[in-house]
Amino acid sequence: MNKRSENMKKVNYLRSQETMAIVDLLDELEKGTGGDYEGFGFWDIKGYQGLKGQLNSYRAQKIAQFLGRTISKQKLLKYAKPKDYVYSLTNKDIAEWLEDNKEGLLSYSDFNMQFMTRI
């Protein structure tokens, strides 16, 4: 295997791990479970329980974008809800929650990213 091929494998692995880190964070928000490792409380992320059951693929993509990542819609389809599903939060509520917890979410996301991408 040539050097370029080896490097591309590493790059693709890191991208895959970054995506997995964001999806893991989204899963924690959707389940309302409070994060991995020391939890959302350690990172000063408040009110995450209110997001339990509130994600759909659009909202998940917006959260990923807020965290500086773009994830393919195919990976986010697991957050799809039935057509008649009633959300208790609006998109505006979620945007406000993101802004209120911006520093903690970015720190938690960066930590998760570093953990997942260590080689």
Side-chain angles (χ1 to χ4, degrees):
M1 186 177 328
N2 66 31
K3 190 74 166 166
R4 183 177 189 285
S5 179
E6 286 180 35
N7 287 339
M8 285 311 298
K9 278 190 176 185
K10 288 179 183 176
V11 168
N12 288 336
Y13 172 78
L14 291 174
R15 286 180 184 157
S16 171
Q17 294 302 102
E18 287 176 353
T19 298
M20 190 181 311
I22 294 295
V23 170
D24 286 349
L25 185 148
L26 293 169
D27 286 346
E28 296 295 329
L29 292 175
E30 175 66 8
K31 295 174 188 170
T33 52
D36 292 333
Y37 315 111
E38 298 177 35
F40 288 160
F42 177 81
W43 302 97
D44 202 29
I45 300 171
K46 297 175 177 60
Y48 61 86
Q49 301 92 339
L51 270 69
K52 182 177 182 178
Q54 297 299 302
L55 296 187
N56 57 29
S57 58
Y58 173 81
R59 290 173 172 191
Q61 184 66 266
K62 290 299 178 188
I63 293 170
Q65 288 172 349
F66 181 83
L67 297 171
R69 300 286 184 258
T70 302
I71 299 176
S72 71
K73 186 164 179 147
Q74 183 182 14
K75 292 192 184 329
L76 301 176
L77 287 177
K78 67 182 186 173
Y79 302 112
K81 304 283 190 292
K83 205 173 200 172
D84 58 346
Y85 188 84
V86 177
Y87 295 97
S88 60
L89 297 176
T90 65
N91 290 342
K92 183 180 177 188
D93 293 334
I94 292 175
E96 289 173 1
W97 180 84
L98 288 169
E99 282 299 326
D100 291 345
N101 290 284
K102 182 176 185 172
E103 188 175 318
L105 284 167
L106 291 174
S107 297
Y108 180 83
S109 175
D110 287 345
F111 173 80
N112 241 6
M113 212 68 70
Q114 290 173 14
F115 180 81
M116 296 293 285
T117 57
R118 67 176 194 249
I119 296 179

